[in-house]
Amino acid sequence: MDLRAELLKSIWYAFTALDVEKSGKVSKSQLKVLSHNLYTVLCIPHDPVALEEHFRDDDDGPVSSQGYMPYLNKYILDKVEEGAFVKENFDELCWTLTAKKNYKPDRNGNSIVSHQDAFKLWCLFNFLSEDKYPLIMVPDEVEYLLKKICTAMNVELNSCELEDYLSQEPQGQGGLTVWQFLDMVNSGRFLRGIEQEAISMAVEEVYQEVIEDGYLWKKGQLRRNWSERWFMLKPSVLSYYMSEERKEKKGSIALDKHCCVEVLPDRDGKRCMFCVKTSSRTYEMSASDTRQRQEWTLAIQTAIRLQAEGKKSLHKDLKQKRREQREQREQRKAAKEEETQRLKQLQEEKERKLQELELLKEAQRQAEILLQEEEQRRRQQHEEMQRTLEIQLQEAEQARASMQAEMVLKEAEAERQRKRILELEDMQERLQEALQQEVKARQDEEAVRYAQARLLAEEEEKLKQLMKLKEEQEEYIIKTQREKQVLRQEMENKNKCLEEAQKQLEEVRVNRQRVDQDVMVAQRKLRQASTNVKHWNVQMNRLMHPIGPGDKRTNVSGGVFAGYQPLLSQRDSSLK
């Protein structure tokens, strides 16, 4: 709800800037452009269909702020996520629209604040302004903001002059608009004699304090190196980015009631160090100076406390407390006015009674006055005599003191003269010693110069010898390089011959393996043939054995195998 209220304040300025005729209405074409830009800066997905349907051209004419609010709430504000966009870009968009129409700095360039500082003051004004439209800042908040800026410059704000200025303004008692506030700052009435650069630095410091962001050095967890990061503090988390544009988020530190902040001693070349301890890790950081470290540690501790109490922001909490104090002050003021009215009535009655008493006391007062006048005359005479005696005594004391002072001065002068004579005598002795030392130094210098000239001559002779040796060495190097080239060429030729011999040897080995394989195949075939011959010999021996008695059968058998015997013997001889 707080984020929605902050966004609505800036959007209200943009809407009123588009209301050229000050009728409370804006044309639909301008609202389309405004809505499209809001989609972009708030990082919300565009919905062109809903945009065209809601703002399609018809005969209804311009749209008022009440007519624009339903679309703004439904399609824009309800979809906004905190932390998903850069609020400074959103504020710059609204500032650009409203400043072009309403902000009128001095055309001669004599403005106290620059255009960028005016934008930051506008952002601070929106933060401190009341949640009522049109937006105004009450005098207490105006004084609070100016005091913050002056404190940043080590300057004291003249509160009485501010009250006079606000009382002269027609609407100053109720509060100031942002344009009246900027005109008041640019007038230089409260910042006179201060350079624009100092004012700009003070505005930047207050802006960063309220927005709660800035640069710090952070030590890495793995590489343990120091890197400068842009930190942004929220009650529940401390986020850090690569730069202040907040495009690349590097990480975040969750803050809860278990976290704590401790100040560390200077080490590793870093100063103004402190750390944030969580339940899982310790984050080491370094500020630019002691004041910045104190501000960051206090802000983080306050954020942890607010997180434990369920509150959102330190400055919002302080703003709410100031608002409650103003309400209590107004209630006390109203009660005091009632009490004053009642006391006034009682006072009038009391004055009537006092008048009666005064008449009775007047006679007594006249008598007392006469007695007092007589007593006063006697007292004056006594005081005049006493003053005369005191003056004479003071004159005598002064004469005595002047004589004593003169004697002291003369004695001091004589003592100074004696010291001066002793110093001159001492100085004369030192001058004589210095003269003798100078003569001796000149003699030593002549001897050193002679020795130096002799050394220079020897060095020139050695230099010539070195040059000659260098030339011989260069010739030897050239000769050695040529011999190396010849040897390298011979080695290359030998390597080529060796490679060819290796190739031939490899071919011989391959042929030998092939021949060995052929021999093995032939041996295998021979063994197989030998085995077959033995088998047939056994069979033939069995057939050639006599079968039994009987000549006729034996003859027949012999006749049968008699023709085969020469053939078998011829076969065995061929196989052998």
Side-chain angles (χ1 to χ4, degrees):
M1 190 66 183
D2 293 336
L3 178 62
R4 181 186 292 262
E6 292 179 7
L7 297 179
L8 277 175
K9 287 182 178 181
S10 299
I11 296 173
W12 177 79
Y13 279 107
F15 186 92
T16 54
L18 297 175
D19 183 12
V20 180
E21 298 178 357
K22 297 183 179 181
S23 60
K25 296 182 178 181
V26 178
S27 65
K28 293 182 178 179
S29 61
Q30 290 179 321
L31 289 179
K32 286 181 183 180
V33 176
L34 174 61
S35 302
H36 189 276
N37 290 330
L38 290 177
Y39 276 123
T40 302
V41 296
L42 293 175
C43 300
I44 301 173
H46 289 255
D47 192 353
V49 177
L51 185 67
E52 293 296 331
E53 287 181 356
H54 196 87
F55 296 107
R56 61 175 178 268
D57 295 329
D58 51 23
D59 298 334
D60 293 339
V63 180
S64 64
S65 60
Q66 298 299 323
Y68 182 56
M69 283 302 297
Y71 174 83
L72 184 64
N73 287 323
K74 181 177 180 180
Y75 294 99
I76 298 179
L77 296 180
D78 288 346
K79 297 180 180 180
V80 173
E81 294 181 4
E82 187 171 4
F85 66 98
V86 180
K87 189 173 184 300
E88 187 173 356
N89 296 339
F90 167 77
D91 289 335
E92 283 183 352
L93 169 66
C94 299
W95 163 256
T96 303
L97 292 173
T98 188
K100 186 175 180 181
K101 176 183 176 183
N102 299 304
Y103 182 52
K104 298 178 178 60
D106 191 356
R107 295 182 179 179
N108 297 326
N110 297 325
S111 299
I112 298 298
V113 296
S114 62
H115 191 79
Q116 185 65 21
D117 294 336
F119 161 69
K120 294 175 182 177
L121 289 174
W122 177 77
C123 294
L124 294 171
F125 181 94
N126 289 343
F127 180 83
L128 298 174
S129 62
E130 298 295 307
D131 298 332
K132 299 177 183 178
Y133 295 90
L135 295 174
I136 60 170
M137 187 191 297
V138 297
D140 291 345
E141 296 296 328
V142 173
E143 183 178 1
Y144 170 77
L145 179 55
L146 290 176
K147 279 185 176 179
K148 294 285 288 184
I149 296 173
C150 291
T151 302
M153 297 185 294
N154 295 325
V155 178
E156 185 176 0
L157 177 67
N158 192 341
S159 301
C160 297
E161 189 175 0
L162 178 61
E163 290 177 0
D164 294 339
Y165 179 86
L166 295 176
S167 63
Q168 293 173 4
E169 289 290 326
Q171 300 177 352
Q173 298 295 330
L176 296 178
T177 65
V178 66
W179 314 118
Q180 292 173 339
F181 175 72
L182 291 175
D183 291 340
M184 179 186 70
V185 175
N186 275 325
S187 66
R189 184 169 181 177
F190 304 101
L191 302 174
R192 63 172 62 93
I194 302 176
E195 295 180 358
Q196 186 177 8
E197 183 179 358
I199 297 174
S200 179
M201 292 175 64
V203 172
E204 175 67 19
E205 182 177 345
V206 176
Y207 178 79
Q208 289 187 3
E209 179 184 350
V210 174
I211 303 301
E212 297 175 332
D213 57 6
Y215 277 109
L216 285 174
W217 287 88
K218 175 186 169 295
K219 190 173 185 180
Q221 183 181 11
L222 299 178
R223 298 175 61 185
R224 310 302 292 172
N225 60 333
W226 288 90
S227 303
E228 191 175 26
R229 297 286 183 256
W230 178 266
F231 281 77
M232 185 173 182
L233 178 63
K234 296 295 182 183
S236 60
V237 66
L238 177 62
S239 304
Y240 50 96
Y241 302 81
M242 181 64 72
S243 62
E244 59 185 300
E245 285 80 10
R246 290 179 288 181
K247 294 181 179 179
E248 183 180 355
K249 185 176 182 180
K250 302 300 291 183
S252 59
I253 305 172
L255 302 178
D256 53 25
K257 61 182 180 181
H258 302 293
C259 299
C260 66
V261 183
E262 294 181 2
V263 176
L264 300 177
D266 299 343
R267 65 172 185 270
D268 298 336
K270 292 294 179 182
R271 52 190 299 272
C272 303
M273 293 177 59
F274 65 98
C275 68
V276 178
K277 290 186 176 181
T278 64
S279 57
S280 60
R281 180 183 167 187
T282 299
Y283 297 84
E284 295 184 13
M285 304 168 197
S286 173
S288 60
D289 53 23
T290 307
R291 178 180 177 184
Q292 189 184 31
R293 177 177 67 180
Q294 184 178 2
E295 291 175 354
W296 271 104
T297 54
L298 180 61
I300 296 173
Q301 289 171 350
T302 305
I304 296 171
R305 178 178 57 80
L306 293 175
Q307 175 68 12
E309 296 174 359
K311 297 179 181 179
K312 293 293 183 182
S313 172
L314 171 62
H315 293 281
K316 290 180 181 177
D317 186 36
L318 294 176
K319 177 184 174 183
Q320 184 63 28
K321 287 182 179 179
R322 291 195 300 271
R323 182 178 295 174
E324 292 174 357
Q325 290 175 357
R326 285 197 302 273
E327 292 175 355
Q328 293 175 1
R329 193 162 55 246
E330 290 176 357
Q331 292 176 359
R332 288 196 300 268
K333 184 178 179 181
K336 188 176 181 180
E337 288 178 355
E338 292 179 0
E339 184 69 18
T340 303
Q341 197 71 17
R342 189 173 62 83
L343 290 174
K344 186 176 180 181
Q345 294 176 358
L346 295 174
Q347 187 70 21
E348 291 176 355
E349 184 178 355
K350 183 179 179 180
E351 286 178 357
R352 286 194 300 271
K353 292 181 179 180
L354 288 175
Q355 288 176 359
E356 295 176 357
L357 290 174
E358 286 294 331
L359 295 173
L360 296 173
K361 291 179 180 180
E362 185 65 28
Q364 184 179 358
R365 190 179 298 111
Q366 293 294 334
E368 290 177 355
I369 289 172
L370 293 173
L371 291 173
Q372 288 177 0
E373 289 177 352
E374 183 66 24
E375 183 68 23
Q376 189 174 3
R377 281 196 299 271
R378 288 197 300 269
R379 190 181 296 111
Q380 288 177 354
Q381 291 176 358
H382 180 72
E383 288 177 354
E384 287 177 358
M385 291 176 63
Q386 187 175 359
R387 282 197 295 271
T388 303
L389 292 173
E390 288 177 354
I391 290 170
Q392 293 176 356
L393 182 60
Q394 288 177 358
E395 289 176 354
E397 289 291 335
Q398 289 176 358
R400 180 183 176 185
S402 62
M403 292 177 66
Q404 290 178 351
E406 188 175 356
M407 292 293 294
V408 171
L409 290 174
K410 289 182 178 180
E411 291 177 356
E413 182 67 24
E415 185 67 25
R416 284 197 297 272
Q417 292 295 335
R418 286 194 296 272
K419 289 181 179 179
R420 181 62 177 169
I421 292 170
L422 294 174
E423 290 175 356
L424 290 173
E425 292 176 352
D426 188 22
M427 187 180 295
Q428 185 178 2
E429 292 177 357
R430 289 199 298 270
L431 287 173
Q432 290 177 354
E433 292 177 358
L435 182 59
Q436 293 175 359
Q437 292 176 359
E438 184 178 1
V439 172
K440 185 178 179 181
R442 286 184 179 178
Q443 293 174 356
D444 295 340
E445 184 179 0
E446 290 295 334
V448 169
R449 285 182 180 176
Y450 176 75
Q452 187 176 10
R454 183 169 51 79
L455 290 173
L456 287 172
E458 293 177 356
E459 287 181 358
E460 288 179 357
E461 185 65 26
K462 290 180 180 179
L463 182 61
K464 290 178 181 179
Q465 294 176 1
L466 287 173
M467 292 299 292
K468 185 176 179 181
L469 289 173
K470 184 177 180 182
E471 291 175 356
E472 293 176 355
Q473 188 178 7
E474 289 177 353
E475 291 177 357
Y476 179 73
I477 290 171
I478 293 170
K479 183 178 178 181
T480 305
Q481 290 178 352
R482 290 176 182 172
E483 291 176 355
K484 285 184 178 179
Q485 290 178 357
V486 172
L487 291 174
R488 191 181 294 112
Q489 188 66 29
E490 291 177 356
M491 289 179 66
E492 290 178 355
N493 294 332
K494 289 181 180 179
N495 288 332
K496 289 180 181 179
C497 295
L498 181 61
E499 289 176 357
E500 292 177 357
Q502 287 178 350
K503 289 180 180 178
Q504 293 175 0
L505 180 62
E506 189 68 25
E507 290 177 358
V508 170
R509 287 178 182 173
V510 171
N511 294 330
R512 181 180 177 183
Q513 290 177 359
R514 192 180 298 115
V515 172
D516 291 341
Q517 291 177 359
D518 293 341
V519 170
M520 291 174 65
V521 170
Q523 289 177 354
R524 191 164 51 251
K525 288 180 179 180
L526 183 60
R527 284 194 299 271
Q528 187 176 1
S530 177
T531 303
N532 293 332
V533 168
K534 289 179 182 179
H535 175 72
W536 282 108
N537 285 332
V538 172
Q539 295 295 329
M540 290 299 296
N541 290 329
R542 287 179 183 177
L543 291 174
M544 291 174 65
H545 192 273
I547 296 175
D551 296 333
K552 188 176 181 179
R553 188 171 181 86
T554 305
N555 291 331
V556 173
S557 301
V560 173
F561 291 100
Y564 290 99
Q565 189 66 34
L567 293 173
L568 292 171
S569 60
Q570 183 179 0
R571 183 179 178 183
D572 290 338
S573 62
S574 65
L575 290 173
K576 291 178 180 180

